[in-house]
Amino acid sequence: MSSAPDILLDIKWELAGKRAAFEAALPGRSVMTLPDARANGVSLDQVRYAVVWHPEDGFLASLPNLNVIFSLGAGVDHVVRDPHLPDLPLVRFVDPDLTGRMVEWVVLQVLMHLRRQRVYDRQQRQKHWHEISTPAAHELRVGIMGFGTLGRACAQALLALGFQVNGWARSAKSCEGVKTFAGEGASAAFLAETDILVSLLPLTAQTKGILNRTLFESLSRSGPFKAPVLINAGRGGSQVETDIDRALQDGTLFGASLDVFETEPLPENSPLWAHENCIITPHMAAVSNAQALANHVAVQIAKHEAGETMDHLVDPQQGY
């Protein structure tokens, strides 16, 4: 642990497990976590690759030999928010394991609302036996905002269950069996045909606060529940939580499932905790697997050092 690292892990959770995974995937390379480096006074001048989550502003710019920045998630807003971010390749983490976990969470949430599971949970606690009429999957239109790798994978799983699925993205995308919409001009039509909205949007200047009352009122009210459902596993900064709270109270929203929040952890005094029709999970919809992440970084480093183009490079103009 005393030699200067060329691969630095600025990961603030499960540090030991992450380091072991990287050491296994990158034998012979010097891997170190930032807390260990600082605790032992180790120079970071030789760091060429940094794997980060919410790095301190200016920290990446302070590494003189940095070549590539890796995000440990599919999103990169936690990196690009740095006003001193160096002009270097930035790579997102896209992996079948992470994609599968997101699909599991999204499908679970859609089914929880479809089958009214929270009501049945309450009835179980009350020892109350009462059947509730629920629609079939084919009667609901699920609209997915953010139709990249994760969005298309979720769409395919929902199609297999019989849901009607629509997809919206900023640029044109296609997916067999899915009605797709592209660009700002198509957003109104997309929302009007959506009974359950799934947001997998990245956080950009354009998406900040986009999940607000105006958008909720633009969603379909002709579906089986007569009001829409919001599901957000994208970014907390995309939602306006005061609007969600009021919309759940007055029936503008039939229900919600939220895995991300404006402030994390979600404050204890948030009114969202109290809504029975709001399912809250602690930003765990698609947790990065340590070994999958390490293998991904190892492959991209090999490509970089061979002069090849790395996968999942971020467009700095788009922010994703």
Side-chain angles (χ1 to χ4, degrees), residues 9 70 108-109 171 176 188 226 257 303 314 316:
L9 310 182
F70 293 95
L108 171 64
Q109 301 311 314
S171 57
E176 186 176 353
K226 305 305 180 186
S257 289
K303 287 191 172 190
V314 173

Side-chain angles (χ1 to χ4, degrees), residues 185-209:
S187 61
F190 164 78
L191 295 171
E193 295 187 30
T194 296
D195 302 313
I196 298 178
L197 177 66
V198 176
S199 176
L200 299 174
L201 292 168
L203 184 60
T204 66
Q206 292 73 35
T207 64
K208 184 174 177 59

Side-chain angles (χ1 to χ4, degrees), residues 10 27 60 62 116 125 133 183 198 232 254 257 260 304:
D10 180 20
L60 294 170
S62 74
R116 307 294 305 279
R125 291 192 298 270
S133 177
V198 176
N232 186 15
F254 179 79
S257 289
V260 291
H304 176 71

Side-chain angles (χ1 to χ4, degrees), residues 110 139-147 158 163-169 178-181 186-199 211 215-231 252-255:
V110 170
E139 298 178 64
L140 283 106
R141 297 166 296 179
V142 180
I144 301 174
M145 290 186 81
F147 210 59
L158 291 165
F163 290 96
Q164 302 173 59
V165 182
N166 300 326
W168 180 90
V178 178
K179 183 176 181 179
T180 55
F181 301 78
S187 61
F190 164 78
L191 295 171
E193 295 187 30
T194 296
D195 302 313
I196 298 178
L197 177 66
V198 176
S199 176
L211 303 176
L215 181 143
F216 305 153
E217 291 175 345
S218 300
L219 292 165
S220 168
R221 307 189 74 78
S222 62
F225 299 138
K226 305 305 180 186
V229 171
L230 169 66
I231 296 174
T252 300
L253 286 175
F254 179 79

Side-chain angles (χ1 to χ4, degrees), residues 67-143:
N67 288 184
V68 182
I69 303 164
F70 293 95
S71 168
L72 69 80
V76 294
D77 54 280
H78 57 94
V79 180
V80 299
R81 62 172 179 72
D82 182 351
H84 309 292
L85 185 68
D87 184 17
L88 294 170
L90 172 58
V91 180
R92 300 186 303 123
F93 177 44
V94 179
D95 177 82
D97 180 83
L98 183 145
T99 300
R101 290 167 185 261
M102 180 62 80
V103 170
E104 292 167 1
W105 188 88
V106 168
V107 170
L108 171 64
Q109 301 311 314
V110 170
L111 292 176
M112 289 279 284
H113 292 286
L114 172 71
R115 301 305 297 265
R116 307 294 305 279
Q117 186 59 47
R118 294 303 284 270
V119 177
Y120 282 118
D121 290 342
R122 185 186 71 237
Q123 290 186 179
Q124 179 177 342
R125 291 192 298 270
Q126 298 172 343
K127 302 178 182 178
H128 180 54
W129 182 281
H130 175 68
E131 181 182 347
I132 303 165
S133 177
T134 58
H138 68 83
E139 298 178 64
L140 283 106
R141 297 166 296 179
V142 180

Side-chain angles (χ1 to χ4, degrees), residues 20-66:
F22 275 81
E23 289 171 343
L26 292 152
R29 307 297 290 250
S30 178
V31 179
M32 189 174 289
T33 66
L34 181 58
D36 280 346
R38 286 176 168 170
N40 292 287
V42 175
S43 170
L44 301 180
D45 287 353
Q46 301 307 309
V47 170
R48 298 177 61 201
Y49 307 101
V51 184
V52 299
W53 185 258
H54 284 293
E56 301 164 4
D57 285 356
F59 171 69
L60 294 170
S62 74
L63 302 174
N65 288 302
L66 187 63

